[in-house]
Amino acid sequence: MFHFDILSLVAGIPGLLMALVIHEYAHALIADKMGDSTPRMTGRLTLNPIAHIDPIGLIMLLVAQFGWAKPVMINANNFRNWRKGEICVSLAGPCANFILALIMFAIRMILFWSGVRMRSLDLVLDLIIIYNINFGIFNLIPLPPLDGSRLITVFLPTEWAIRLASVERYSFLLLIVLMATPVFSYILIPLQRLVYMLDYTIVQGLFYWIFRLFI
């Protein structure tokens, strides 16, 4: 999981920034659509990377391919429908990452089928795909303050939700421990491969029907 290949680190910068920005922007956009203007008022409804980057999360994403951005401040009391708002906002970030990875996968395959062979470009596109898949999966972990915890909190009794929220003070330490052990890889790497294969299947199937329609 941890690697320090200089070429990959440099080539991964576009993927890092895109994964971070699209994730947090999606949270802010959907929260705004659900009735909460807090992200707009705090300057998070933007594609400017500076507004979203968390330095430690960026470093972890760079060296471990799993990390986080600065959380978007949200006031769930402003949602027109609290439960629906929490679910949609929690899923918005990971879904945005998966969609961006799918788009980049399609571009990668188009270039490949077109005979375009540029090692540097291929590496950048591959890392954009991987970083977005990993970022989406990572944030679905049910550990506060990650999106997965907000998602399951909606369905928990109040007492359990409070107990889960109290774990946040230990979250960073728990994540470091998990990343340093095989447990993390055993869970997340298979999920990464599953999403990657789903992307491949979707893009291949989409192009197949396009070719049948126009050729």
Side-chain angles (χ1 to χ4, degrees), residues 53-87:
I53 289 176
D54 178 287
I56 297 177
L58 180 64
I59 293 172
M60 293 305 299
L61 187 61
L62 187 64
V63 301
Q65 297 187 358
F66 292 95
W68 57 90
K70 188 188 304 180
V72 174
M73 297 299 296
I74 293 170
N75 186 348
N77 293 324
N78 293 330
F79 292 150
R80 288 183 289 273
N81 182 308
W82 170 79
R83 190 179 301 274
K84 181 180 179 181
E86 283 281 15
I87 293 173

Side-chain angles (χ1 to χ4, degrees), residues 59-141:
I59 293 172
M60 293 305 299
L61 187 61
L62 187 64
V63 301
Q65 297 187 358
F66 292 95
W68 57 90
K70 188 188 304 180
V72 174
M73 297 299 296
I74 293 170
N75 186 348
N77 293 324
N78 293 330
F79 292 150
R80 288 183 289 273
N81 182 308
W82 170 79
R83 190 179 301 274
K84 181 180 179 181
E86 283 281 15
I87 293 173
C88 290
V89 172
S90 297
L91 290 175
C95 286
N97 288 127
F98 295 146
I99 291 171
L100 181 57
L102 183 63
I103 293 171
M104 291 298 130
F105 207 114
I107 294 174
R108 179 75 166 83
M109 293 185 72
I110 290 173
L111 292 176
F112 177 80
W113 290 336
S114 301
V116 177
R117 298 290 188 275
M118 295 178 60
R119 183 172 179 267
S120 58
L121 178 60
D122 290 344
L123 179 58
V124 169
L125 290 175
D126 286 339
L127 290 175
I128 292 175
I129 294 168
I130 293 300
Y131 281 136
N132 274 278
I133 290 175
N134 288 353
F135 200 65
I137 293 173
F138 180 86
N139 277 277
L140 287 174
I141 295 175

